[in-house]
Amino acid sequence: LPALTPGDLGNLDAYIKAANSAPVLTAEEERNLAIRMRDYNDVDAAQALIISHLRLVISVARGYLGYGRSHGDLIQEGNIGLMKAVRHYDPDKGVRLMTFAVHWIRAEIQEYIVRNSHMVKLATTHAQRKLFFNLRQMKKTDQSLTNAQAEDIAEKLNVKPKEVLEMEKRLSGPDASLDTPLDEEGDSSVTAVDMLTDKSDEPVEILEKADELQLEQVGLKKAIEQLDPRSRRIIEA
């Protein structure tokens, strides 16, 4: 980066200053670099495209500062999105790289926030992601949403009111440790993780399932034998 020395690499302010001082490309310069990268796999051309758009990443990342992540981390993730955008950019489509890249940058930052905001993913579908990044701003108070408010938000975001209320509940509920004792009196001998133990491989469970399957097969065979020929053919088919 211009004006960025090795000693400044860990300094966010110095990085931002250097990124903002990078030259802005004209449409013709951008197109020529993109063609060189696409047709000849020119690494220097790709680097020039990336450096000239680092200020865009910084700007987009600043809009996600309210989600508990540092600006530096958000910029780092946004830069990954920028590099992906440069790799997929087609200059023949008639769209400037900035317009094309902003969607990739946002997607990468949003994925990072969702991935790190809770141990359990809060948003996996498109509708859930839309709610995750808009619900906080659209709520007028800290009080729980009424049905009318949920319907109003749902209409604006083109989602279902049920999805709005479900996301509100998810956002307001903190993560709980699976090691938390279930006994309110403090007995730590039984925890939540014990309730998730898979016992399907235990010998007793295997034998019980085998016996149950045998009984079901015998019972089914006897039941079919009691049917009339036509019904039996239908069931067997």
Side-chain angles (χ1 to χ4, degrees):
L1 284 177
L4 188 61
T5 64
D8 293 329
L9 290 177
N11 188 316
L12 181 59
D13 290 336
Y15 172 85
I16 293 175
K17 181 179 179 180
N20 287 331
S21 68
V24 177
L25 300 174
T26 65
E28 184 179 358
E29 290 172 335
E30 180 180 287
R31 174 175 170 77
N32 290 337
L33 288 169
I35 291 175
R36 281 168 49 192
M37 183 201 65
R38 183 193 64 188
D39 296 347
Y40 305 103
N41 198 26
D42 190 326
V43 176
D44 291 335
Q47 184 180 37
L49 289 171
I50 291 170
I51 290 177
S52 66
H53 288 80
L54 291 178
R55 57 169 57 86
L56 173 63
V57 176
I58 295 170
S59 176
V60 173
R62 192 176 293 118
Y64 291 92
L65 286 175
Y67 293 95
R69 303 290 116 185
S70 72
H71 197 192
D73 287 343
L74 295 173
I75 290 173
Q76 179 173 287
E77 296 299 320
N79 284 341
I80 295 175
L82 173 60
M83 287 186 283
K84 290 181 179 179
V86 169
R87 185 173 63 198
H88 290 87
Y89 179 59
D90 185 354
D92 292 334
K93 296 294 184 180
V95 177
R96 290 297 299 269
L97 176 57
M98 181 175 68
T99 303
F100 179 76
V102 69
H103 301 289
W104 288 85
I105 295 168
R106 285 175 180 163
E108 204 69 30
I109 292 176
Q110 289 179 4
E111 172 65 23
Y112 168 71
I113 292 173
V114 171
R115 190 170 64 244
N116 291 277
S117 60
H118 285 68
M119 291 175 67
V120 179
K121 282 193 175 181
L122 289 177
T124 54
T125 67
H126 177 70
Q128 289 172 347
R129 287 175 180 269
K130 189 187 300 183
L131 283 167
F132 181 86
F133 288 104
N134 289 279
L135 188 55
R136 285 191 179 95
Q137 290 90 340
M138 298 184 74
K139 284 185 65 175
K140 298 179 180 179
T141 67
D142 293 332
Q143 302 296 322
S144 298
L145 291 172
T146 64
N147 288 334
Q149 291 171 330
E151 290 175 359
D152 181 56
I153 293 175
E155 182 177 356
K156 291 178 180 178
L157 295 179
N158 194 27
V159 298
K160 298 177 181 177
K162 180 180 178 181
E163 292 175 321
V164 175
L165 295 174
E166 177 65 23
M167 180 55 67
E168 181 192 30
K169 187 184 300 182
R170 292 186 180 188
L171 290 173
S172 62
D175 293 327
S177 173
L178 292 177
D179 293 322
T180 303
L182 295 179
D183 190 343
E184 295 181 355
E185 297 181 358
D187 181 8
S188 60
S189 60
V190 180
T191 63
V193 73
D194 294 321
M195 305 300 293
L196 302 177
T197 303
D198 184 8
K199 299 181 179 179
S200 60
D201 290 333
E202 294 184 3
V204 175
E205 290 289 329
I206 294 175
L207 289 175
E208 288 181 353
K209 287 183 179 179
D211 290 341
E212 183 179 354
L213 180 61
Q214 178 65 20
L215 289 173
E216 288 178 353
Q217 290 176 340
V218 171
L220 181 61
K221 183 178 180 181
K222 290 182 178 180
I224 291 178
E225 289 175 349
Q226 297 177 15
L227 297 174
D228 60 85
R230 181 174 180 277
S231 298
R232 189 183 307 154
R233 285 198 304 273
I234 294 174
I235 295 296
E236 291 175 345

